[in-house]
Amino acid sequence: MRYRILGGTGIEVSTHCLGTMMFGSAGNPDHDDSIRIIHTALDQGINFIDTADMYSAGESEEIVGKALQGRRDDVVLSTKVHFPMGEGPNRSGNSRRWIMRAVEASLKRLRTDWIDLYQIHRPDHRTDIEETLSALTDLVRQGKIRAFGSSAFPAHETVEAYHVARQRGLYRFRTEQPPYNILARGIEGDVLPTAQRLGMGVLTYSPLGWGFLTGRYRKGQVDLSQGRAARAPERFDPSIPVNAAKLEVVEELVKLADELGRTLPELAVAFVVSHPAVTSVILGPRTMEQLEGLLKGASLVLDDTVLDRIDELVPPGTDVYPPVALWSPAPLTDPALRRRPPGDRSAS
């Protein structure tokens, strides 16, 4: 396993990061099995684990905490804050009030005294970014976190946060965690170049494109009655043009993987690793078999000829489908932010 420096922090992390979203009630409810998967990943050289407080309502953090007993010093541990963790107001978002409460709860579930990377899971337009950065800076100074980053932030908000940190003498985001895969390359035009210019580490998620790059979903073979396809048919129904487009690309990618003597998942993960802005790619297995299958491709190097063929199928900077980020810019969700008052909508 190769190791890369995480966003100028001096912390070395494995090029593969173990994502734990599928551990707990949302995926694998067997704690012992999930712990075995975590230990196998560590034994294979992965030293970077990513979780979040909202994964299975805290259960994922609890599983990770149990798995790391006696091995904590060998692991770079990352978690996140933002999404609701209970009913009522002030139990979500990026306010100082919530961050200070949420980090204590995460530390308890993770059974640790510190978090190596604490990430803001999504932007929060109700909260001034200075408020968020100030709270995170205090947590670094208190020793409860070592560094902090963002997740699914658009490039312009990353730049804004960078300048606010400089102007106010605060610590800055050291990392960004965006969705990125062969079918969703839009961030190559702004998010990834911005991260490079600002010296940020990038840990990407969804390398298998919500399952489409596993090879399980092929033309004429999509079963909408079970699994992910049953839970979210709008993302898999082949009668929907965007899904049909994904299936067309997958057919060509399967051929390419076969020519290389590799599986489609191995090809997909190797593609993400090859981008110079990417520090680590998050693998999110639910089973031991899935983890072992992904790790088989760790040594795969894609040469320029292969990358050129992928570029022909999905041009750089384009999305075959809009990646799921669970967040939309406020001007797209609140009409008042994109409409002038009625009396001020004419040119004369």
Side-chain angles (χ1 to χ4, degrees), residues 50-292:
D50 180 75
T51 185
D53 58 3
M54 59 87 68
Y55 293 166
S56 295
E59 188 180 1
S60 173
E61 286 188 328
E62 292 173 355
I63 292 170
V64 171
K66 288 190 287 187
L68 295 188
Q69 294 303 290
R71 306 186 70 163
R72 176 67 185 89
D73 286 341
D74 299 324
V75 173
V76 178
L77 180 58
S78 167
T79 191
K80 311 180 196 73
V81 60
H82 171 81
F83 286 108
M85 289 294 289
E87 299 294 331
N90 299 313
R91 294 180 180 272
S92 65
N94 303 344
S95 69
R96 170 181 285 272
R97 186 181 193 276
W98 177 240
I99 288 172
M100 293 303 186
R101 291 187 62 189
V103 74
E104 296 294 345
S106 286
L107 287 168
K108 183 177 181 180
R109 286 189 292 264
L110 291 166
R111 304 187 185 189
T112 185
D113 295 326
W114 83 97
I115 294 164
D116 294 291
L117 178 64
Y118 198 46
Q119 298 170 92
I120 300 299
H121 213 154
R122 293 293 185 272
D124 176 8
H125 293 109
R126 305 169 303 169
T127 306
D128 193 308
I129 189 63
E130 182 179 351
E131 177 82 0
T132 301
L133 294 173
S134 175
L136 294 169
T137 297
D138 285 348
L139 290 176
V140 173
R141 290 171 175 163
Q142 293 168 13
K144 294 181 179 179
I145 66 176
R146 301 295 187 251
F148 55 84
S150 56
S151 177
F153 271 49
H156 71 274
E157 297 211 19
T158 298
V159 172
E160 179 190 4
Y162 174 81
H163 286 294
V164 168
R166 293 192 64 184
Q167 292 165 2
R168 298 292 187 264
L170 302 170
Y171 293 167
R172 63 185 179 92
F173 287 134
R174 285 293 186 175
T175 63
E176 162 60 14
Q177 184 179 140
Y180 181 48
N181 58 67
I182 294 175
L183 300 175
R185 302 182 60 177
I187 64 170
E188 292 175 344
D190 52 10
V191 171
L192 294 183
T194 296
Q196 286 179 290
R197 287 196 297 271
L198 299 181
M200 298 173 67
V202 175
L203 40 155
T204 64
Y205 70 91
S206 195
L208 301 184
W210 236 74
F212 270 85
L213 297 176
T214 63
R216 178 180 178 182
Y217 303 99
R218 303 282 298 276
K219 289 180 66 176
Q221 301 176 24
V222 179
D223 184 353
L224 297 176
S225 66
Q226 60 182 349
R228 286 186 173 186
R231 294 194 298 271
E234 70 280 1
R235 294 175 182 165
F236 294 89
D237 187 344
S239 68
I240 298 174
V242 68
N243 296 330
K246 286 187 282 188
L247 292 170
E248 290 290 345
V249 176
V250 165
E251 290 302 309
E252 297 303 316
L253 290 173
V254 168
K255 295 176 185 177
L256 178 57
D258 287 343
E259 290 176 20
L260 297 173
R262 297 286 191 160
T263 66
L264 180 54
E266 290 174 354
L267 173 68
V269 173
F271 167 81
V272 178
V273 170
S274 70
H275 196 288
V278 174
T279 308
S280 186
V281 54
I282 298 172
L283 311 178
R286 181 177 55 83
T287 66
M288 185 71 78
E289 181 183 14
Q290 290 174 352
L291 173 66
E292 292 173 344

